[in-house]
Amino acid sequence: MSLWFEVANCDLKHKSTNYNSSVAVNLQIPLRKISSINPATGAILREFESANEEDIRSAVMRARAAQPAWNDLGVQKRVGILRQFQQSLLERKAEVADVIVQEAGKPRAEALTTEVLVVLDTARFLIENGYRLLRDESLPHGNLVAKLKTGRLLREPYGVIGIISPWNYPFSIPATESLAALVAGNTVVLKPSELTSLCALELQSLLHGAGVPKDTFQVVVGDGATGAALTQSAIDKLVFTGSVATGKRIAAIAAERLLPVVLELGGKDPMIVLDDADIDVASSAAVWGAFVNAGQACLSVERCYVQSRMYEEFLFACVAKTKKLNVGHGADRETDIGPLINERQLRIVESHVEDARNRGARILAGGARYPELGRNFYCPTVLADVTHEMRIMREETFGPVLPVMAFENDDEAVRLANDSEYGLAASVWTRDSARGEKIARRIQAGTVMVNDAISCFGISEAPHGGVKASGIGRAHGRFGIDEMVRLKYLDIDRMPGMKKVWWYGYGEKFAQQMEGFLDSQFARRFSDRIAGLIRSAGVIRHKKI
Ligand code: NAD
């Protein structure tokens, strides 16, 4: 058994024994250590050896060997296992939330809502709809020459799906993708973020406990090099969620071997507050949308545009609400905002805020670290008078910062919202839903919400994914299932004893008959159709070779 499996599946007490017993196996390959760390305290929760190329190769081989049996179980039985998984997660929700809080630092309320709830509901969606979405579908033909055929669409699993996931939603992102892959009959090799291996191992333990065979769902813990090895392995499709930079690297490797990929990448989501919006509601939404998960959400409100008539009033409300928030350890039930994931992330946030400050932005709240609380804490920050020359309005900040800018009219709001390389999601706030919809239709994004933000990720029926640099492909709902299957068209001709009209035996007469046939099918005027029909008479009986 390879090293990472032993380490991944044991507690620290047993780790050293397994480590020693496996060293001989991997003697030639340098071992890389990764640590699961509590971001608030710096305490090491567990250490792992990064899986190497050989580990990945053998995991993918096992996944491939396991796939036919998993597929042969049929959708109904796989749905039954999913039901069991859902119930086990429900029973173990507190335990799972604790692991998420420890490893990702987020408030417990968010671990329950944005992680556990999202996964329970994804399971509900797949249980209710999996069979319907995966069964064969008849495909009626409109073309007269194909009327004697029966057309059917088959949805076949790819085989082995590789999943590479980020740290910010360490349970819900890999879980939602894995459940869709599994219910469709694929086996899965998941490489979670090196920062949040424990959350992925919780998922593995729940799935195995529910009856998913060991080799059907495997977690390979590791770093970027492990992810690169998975991308280059013999998987049949890769579902990647992470940064644009890594996504581009993966796309380049995938292009070499035409590996199908789904890329769920970063965002710089705009929020547009129109002058007829409810200021109290919109300011609460802005504060939550910018600070939830300490701003480390792909769908965070990263840019806020407010119509000038209510700009100052809106800022005042946001600042007042920001000052009421509790920053603290995720395990503390009163905490609204936890720490950032690590020092690297903190530095990005700091540099964006500093750049904004130097270029003339007003800092109305926050704008500094919060070292008294522990590691990686940053005060929730409200910035006014930002511009598109500032990094805070162009690059993904991924921190608890709400930059606010004024606009004059709807056209300007749309222009500002679309002035970004990203296009994940957006929101529009107004009491006039027709006006909101009109603007929403003009925004370049995978999702636009009118009078809500971010929660689209928790709507299991809705597609999730971006345009422009925010990615390729969709997760969730029937669109997520579609990404996990190859579409096969099955065509059965009901006249096995009949040669086809269009086969050899052409000649002048046949050409004339075909011209008539084309007119009979496609001419605009009824009289031309009838004339065409007469000219095509006998085409079926033309002599074929
Ligand atoms: P990241 O790109 O650094 O890492 C993501 C995953 O890729 C990790 O598991 C990492 O180990 C792996 N990886 C790193 N280098 C690799 C390589 N060369 N080949 C293969 N795998 C490699 O991203 P992150 O910091 O973990 O996550 C934050 C980013 O993810 C943000 O940009 C955020 O917007 C984005 N994100 C997007 C969505 C979405 O649904 N669109 C959801 C969550 C996060």
Side-chain angles (χ1 to χ4, degrees), residues 163-169 173 177 191-196 222-231 238 240-247 249-250 253 263-268 296-299 302 341 344-345 396 398 422 424 457 464-466 470-471 475-476:
I163 296 179
I164 299 179
S165 58
W167 48 264
N168 63 329
Y169 287 94
I173 289 177
E177 291 165 351
K191 205 298 284 176
S193 167
E194 54 274 43
L195 303 178
T196 51
D223 54 15
T226 311
L230 183 60
T231 309
L238 180 68
F240 170 79
T241 309
S243 62
V244 174
T246 311
R249 258 178 244 133
I250 284 176
I253 295 170
L263 301 172
E264 300 286 352
L265 308 180
K268 189 77 193 165
Q296 303 166 116
C298 56
L299 297 167
E302 287 247 340
I341 193 74
R344 180 178 168 273
Q345 200 54 47
E396 191 180 40
F398 231 52
Y422 297 98
L424 192 53
F457 189 79
H464 170 71
S470 290
H476 296 187

Side-chain angles (χ1 to χ4, degrees), residues 113-401:
T113 53
T114 64
E115 303 259 13
V116 175
L117 169 62
V118 167
V119 179
L120 287 172
D121 197 63
T122 296
R124 187 269 313 153
F125 172 81
L126 295 172
I127 290 164
E128 286 175 1
N129 300 289
Y131 179 73
R132 181 178 61 81
L133 294 173
L134 288 161
R135 72 182 165 195
D136 297 353
E137 195 182 315
S138 96
L139 191 79
H141 302 131
N143 187 340
L144 190 64
V145 294
K147 284 283 184 203
L148 293 176
K149 293 162 166 296
T150 300
R152 221 173 283 153
L153 288 177
L154 315 185
R155 293 182 167 80
E156 298 186 338
Y158 273 92
V160 183
I161 303 273
I163 296 179
I164 299 179
S165 58
W167 48 264
N168 63 329
Y169 287 94
F171 187 72
S172 59
I173 289 177
T176 51
E177 291 165 351
S178 300
L179 295 185
L182 289 169
V183 83
N186 300 285
T187 51
V188 171
V189 177
L190 163 65
K191 205 298 284 176
S193 167
E194 54 274 43
L195 303 178
T196 51
S197 311
L198 291 177
C199 291
L201 292 172
E202 277 297 304
L203 175 64
Q204 175 172 263
S205 144
L206 283 159
L207 284 168
H208 290 174
V212 175
K214 222 166 132 261
D215 292 344
T216 295
F217 179 82
Q218 301 172 66
V219 172
V220 283
V221 297
D223 54 15
T226 311
L230 183 60
T231 309
Q232 280 162 342
S233 73
I235 51 174
D236 299 297
K237 182 158 186 172
L238 180 68
V239 179
F240 170 79
T241 309
S243 62
V244 174
T246 311
K248 284 181 179 170
R249 258 178 244 133
I250 284 176
I253 295 170
E256 283 291 311
R257 47 178 284 223
L258 294 179
L259 175 72
V261 285
V262 172
L263 301 172
E264 300 286 352
L265 308 180
K268 189 77 193 165
D269 291 2
M271 170 177 185
I272 296 175
V273 184
L274 300 175
D275 56 4
D276 64 347
D278 182 315
I279 290 199
D280 181 36
V281 172
S283 56
S284 291
V287 166
W288 181 77
F291 303 150
V292 65
N293 202 24
Q296 303 166 116
C298 56
L299 297 167
S300 288
V301 170
E302 287 247 340
R303 300 178 281 151
C304 185
Y305 303 101
V306 183
Q307 200 146 11
S308 52
R309 190 166 70 77
M310 54 204 280
Y311 180 65
E312 289 298 336
E313 195 183 345
F314 179 85
L315 281 170
F316 184 82
C318 287
V319 170
K321 288 172 186 181
T322 299
K323 289 190 170 158
K324 286 188 187 149
L325 296 173
N326 292 320
V327 183
H329 290 234
D332 180 343
R333 303 282 164 125
E334 298 304 313
T335 290
D336 299 306
I337 303 176
L340 297 183
I341 193 74
N342 56 21
E343 173 69 23
R344 180 178 168 273
Q345 200 54 47
L346 203 59
R347 287 208 185 130
I348 295 172
V349 175
E350 265 181 343
S351 68
H352 286 194
V353 172
E354 277 321 298
D355 174 72
R357 193 198 310 257
N358 294 338
R359 290 171 187 262
R362 276 188 289 152
I363 298 185
L364 303 183
R369 291 186 183 219
Y370 210 149
E372 307 87 292
L373 288 174
R375 288 163 42 122
N376 305 326
F377 286 94
Y378 195 84
C379 300
T381 297
V382 181
L383 300 180
D385 305 346
V386 293
T387 69
H388 274 213
E389 278 63 57
M390 299 174 186
R391 294 176 67 199
I392 200 87
M393 295 301 268
R394 304 217 72 89
E395 299 170 27
E396 191 180 40
T397 306
F398 231 52
V401 184

Side-chain angles (χ1 to χ4, degrees), residues 64-74 78 185 187 213 216:
R64 183 162 306 291
Q67 196 269 332
W70 178 247
N71 189 37
D72 288 350
L73 266 189
R78 293 197 294 271
T187 51
T216 295

